[in-house]
């Protein structure tokens, strides 16, 4: 666990970080994002003491980094930077060995560990062990950088824009591999990027830095849906949520004002509401929580002689409902809009929260995401 307590940093009189308070859990993947010069690299270097702490405190598993010797910190924290940070005059093997020697691994164990971490990042040791960095592609260099960061088996790995110089395909592959390695070995990763898509794809939580302060620190879904301020909103961009349909749920796109009727009303009242709204079915609810009881269809009311009869015996279960947290993807895949004009949206207590219609869904998709504060209406 990494705890920032009122951390501040300045270079001469220039304040770079102000009152950073944040707790990163063990095994968590946190992505830092923010505009150039906002302090991301400084924040990362504060964790491994490449920049010494000016104000506040920073604790790793409850111990202040002021009390952790530098060498112990090197062993516990791996570091990857943009161009891999490899020494150009050393081979791949020597680059990794050097770090392992620094952290005190017995020399007879080092060659096997080098091979192991190269295999971990999908580089064949026999092919690459003796290569110099200049003989590697950008992606291969970054793989070596990642292998080296994992080699001493640290709990924490810091990555400063490690993939930003790579082509999109290589970048995508490395993103997937790093997330897999992180989960498999339960590493805590703090990863800096400029790329919001990369952040959403990799992060458990995203920390958005604005002028040396935390603008928002939250799960990707929350950041996409509820940006804390205009700066975050700009980072998120208007339509990005729609590129991530797993994060869009029925409650985000439903119409809250769905017409429904209480089950103790009469047939006449139901017919009037249907006529008034030109619909051929009505959702029926009971109680103040609007518990969904079923649906009534116009065709089933047409033969009724006694208009003052209670609706109750005409209620059918002839409808499909979705939960508020059903994803857009699932809705599109499973729901048959032709079966009913409206798909009721309920919570897990079966209380009616809103509804989806085919036309409404299309309209929402074309307008993209916006919040709708309209309250439900009962007629
Ligand atoms: N060694 C230094 N001496 C003086 N000022 C510095 C030093 N390192 C960084 N700064 C200043 O601190 C601020 C934050 O820099 P930092 O490198 O942390 O930003 P960043 O968010 O990583 O930016 P980028 O996205 O461009 O990498 C900048 O204004 C920068 O000019
Ligand atoms: Mg930087």
């Amino acid at each position: 666990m990494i705890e920032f307590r009122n951390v501040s940093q300045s270079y001469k009189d220039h304040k770079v970080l102000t009152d950073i308070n944040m707790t990163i859990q063990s095994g968590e993947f946190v992505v830092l994002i923010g505009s150039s010069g906002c302090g991301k690299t400084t924040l990362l270097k504060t964790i491994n003491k490449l920049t010494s702490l000016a104000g506040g405190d920073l604790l790793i598993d409850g111990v202040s980094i002021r009390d952790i010797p530098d060498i112990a910190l090197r062993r516990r924290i791996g570091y990857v930077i943009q161009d891999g940070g490899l020494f150009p005059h050393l081979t791949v093997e020597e680059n990794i060995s050097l770090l392992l020697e620094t952290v005190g691994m017995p020399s007879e164990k080092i060659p096997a560990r080098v091979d192991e971490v190269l295999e971990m990042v999908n580089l064949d040791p026999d092919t690459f062990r003796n290569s110099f960095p200049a003989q590697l592609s950008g992606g291969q260099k970054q793989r070596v950088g990642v292998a080296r960061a994992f080699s001493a088996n640290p709990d924490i790995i810091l990555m400063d824009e490690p993939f930003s110089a790579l082509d999109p395909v290589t970048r995508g592959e490395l993103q997937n591999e790093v997330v897999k390695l992180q989960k498999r070995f339960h590493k805590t990763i703090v990863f800096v990027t400029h790329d919001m898509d990369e952040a959403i794809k990799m992060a458990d939580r995203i920390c958005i830095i604005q002028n040396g302060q935390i603008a928002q620190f939250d799960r990707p879904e929350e950041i996409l849906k509820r940006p804390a301020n205009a700066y975050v909103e700009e980072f998120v961009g208007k339509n990005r949520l729609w590129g991530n349909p797993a994060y869009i749920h029925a409650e985000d796109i439903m119409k809250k004002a769905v017409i429904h009727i209480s089950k103790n009303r009469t047939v006449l009242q139901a017919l009037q509401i249907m006529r008034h709204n030109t619909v051929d079915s009505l959702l029926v609810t009971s109680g103040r929580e609007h518990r969904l009881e079923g649906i009534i269809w116009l065709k089933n009311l047409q033969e009724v002689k006694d208009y003052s009869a209670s609706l109750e015996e005409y209620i059918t279960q002839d409808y499909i409902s979705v939960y508020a947290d059903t994803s857009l993807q699932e809705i599109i895949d499973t729901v048959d809009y032709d079966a009913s004009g409206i798909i009721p949206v309920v919570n897990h207590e079966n209380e009616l929260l809103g509804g989806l219609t085919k036309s409404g869904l299309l309209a929402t998709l074309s307008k993209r995401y916006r919040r709708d504060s309209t309250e439900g209406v009962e007629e």
Side-chain angles (χ1 to χ4, degrees):
M1 190 164 76
I2 309 170
E3 285 170 85
F4 288 77
R5 293 194 185 157
N6 292 316
V7 166
S8 59
Q9 288 290 22
S10 24
Y11 294 109
K12 303 219 167 94
D13 341 333
H14 175 43
K15 201 148 198 202
V16 178
L17 296 176
T18 315
D19 285 340
I20 300 286
N21 284 294
M22 141 168 95
T23 299
I24 297 172
Q25 301 298 335
S26 298
E28 197 173 19
F29 200 123
V30 168
V31 173
L32 305 177
I33 191 166
S35 41
S36 187
C38 72
K40 304 178 295 293
T41 296
T42 305
L43 198 152
L44 219 54
K45 286 181 170 172
T46 307
I47 303 176
N48 63 2
K49 294 218 273 193
L50 286 179
T51 303
S52 63
L53 194 58
D57 204 356
L58 201 159
L59 287 74
I60 294 180
D61 292 337
V63 180
S64 168
I65 54 165
R66 292 195 173 93
D67 300 330
I68 306 177
D70 287 6
I71 184 73
L73 216 57
R74 295 282 166 278
R75 196 175 300 130
R76 293 179 65 182
I77 304 179
Y79 190 41
V80 188
I81 58 174
Q82 189 174 330
D83 61 2
L86 304 176
F87 296 109
H89 58 289
L90 299 181
T91 64
V92 166
E93 177 169 32
E94 288 162 349
N95 263 285
I96 300 172
S97 304
L98 185 64
L99 178 91
L100 293 173
E101 282 160 23
T102 315
V103 302
M105 181 179 273
S107 53
E108 70 276 8
K109 290 195 170 164
I110 290 178
R113 180 61 180 160
V114 171
D115 285 5
E116 192 177 24
V117 290
L118 286 176
E119 273 163 11
M120 214 172 80
V121 297
N122 295 317
L123 289 177
D124 175 36
D126 292 338
T127 313
F128 292 102
R129 188 185 293 124
N130 298 316
S131 306
F132 285 92
Q135 299 169 312
L136 304 176
S137 72
Q140 288 162 348
K141 267 186 248 178
Q142 286 312 93
R143 285 175 193 276
V144 176
V146 171
R148 185 175 59 176
F150 274 80
S151 65
N153 199 21
D155 324 321
I156 299 168
I157 295 176
L158 310 177
M159 305 182 88
D160 197 349
E161 303 194 45
F163 307 145
S164 57
L166 304 178
D167 69 86
V169 175
T170 312
R171 172 184 260 226
E173 283 169 12
L174 277 164
Q175 288 166 346
N176 291 337
E177 287 173 31
V178 165
V179 169
K180 266 195 222 146
L181 289 173
Q182 184 252 349
K183 300 281 177 253
R184 184 167 145 212
F185 297 107
H186 306 289
K187 300 297 180 200
T188 307
I189 294 190
V190 190
F191 185 108
V192 171
T193 185
H194 272 110
D195 176 353
M196 194 65 187
D197 290 317
E198 184 166 73
I200 292 166
K201 180 173 172 186
M202 303 184 85
D204 294 316
R205 282 192 295 167
I206 297 174
C207 180
I208 301 187
I209 313 274
Q210 177 180 16
N211 295 328
Q213 289 180 297
I214 296 177
Q216 193 168 4
F217 182 33
D218 217 330
R219 293 180 301 120
E221 180 172 346
E222 286 303 307
I223 299 224
L224 286 172
K225 288 183 176 171
R226 284 172 271 276
N229 61 24
Y231 175 85
V232 177
E233 213 160 288
E234 198 170 316
F235 250 96
V236 168
K238 274 205 167 48
N239 298 329
R240 194 169 323 257
L241 181 62
W242 296 93
N244 296 275
Y247 290 147
I248 304 168
H249 302 126
E251 65 190 330
D252 301 319
I253 52 176
M254 71 188 182
K255 196 171 132 212
K256 288 187 185 166
V258 295
I259 305 156
H260 53 108
I261 187 167
S262 167
K263 69 173 184 182
N264 6 345
R265 298 293 192 93
T266 64
V267 169
L268 178 64
Q269 287 166 326
L271 285 169
Q272 280 174 332
I273 293 170
M274 286 188 198
R275 189 176 324 117
H276 180 71
N277 293 286
T278 54
V279 290
D280 64 356
S281 64
L282 274 184
L283 299 174
V284 184
T285 58
S286 66
R288 285 180 44 204
E289 314 76 30
H290 306 306
R291 193 174 299 278
L292 187 61
E293 297 288 340
I295 193 166
I296 45 168
W297 291 93
L298 179 62
K299 60 178 190 284
N300 297 338
L301 297 184
Q302 275 162 342
E303 304 301 313
V304 178
K305 297 282 183 311
D306 178 10
Y307 279 11
S308 63
S310 160
L311 272 181
E312 229 159 323
E313 61 184 286
Y314 302 100
I315 299 173
T316 71
Q317 301 306 316
D318 189 11
Y319 69 96
I320 314 156
S321 64
V322 297
Y323 288 121
D325 54 7
T326 304
S327 77
L328 178 59
Q329 193 62 59
E330 215 177 317
I331 294 167
I332 291 167
D333 289 348
T334 60
V335 166
D336 176 6
Y337 282 90
D338 297 326
S340 158
I342 187 143
I343 310 292
V345 178
V346 295
N347 61 18
H348 289 263
E349 282 74 52
N350 203 35
E351 293 160 6
L352 183 67
L353 303 177
L356 299 171
T357 60
K358 193 197 285 183
S359 60
L361 185 61
L362 286 173
T364 323
L365 281 167
S366 64
K367 267 184 271 173
R368 308 287 171 145
Y369 181 70
R370 75 187 157 79
R371 244 170 277 177
D372 190 346
S373 58
T374 325
E375 293 302 315
V377 287
E378 184 174 12
E379 299 224 17

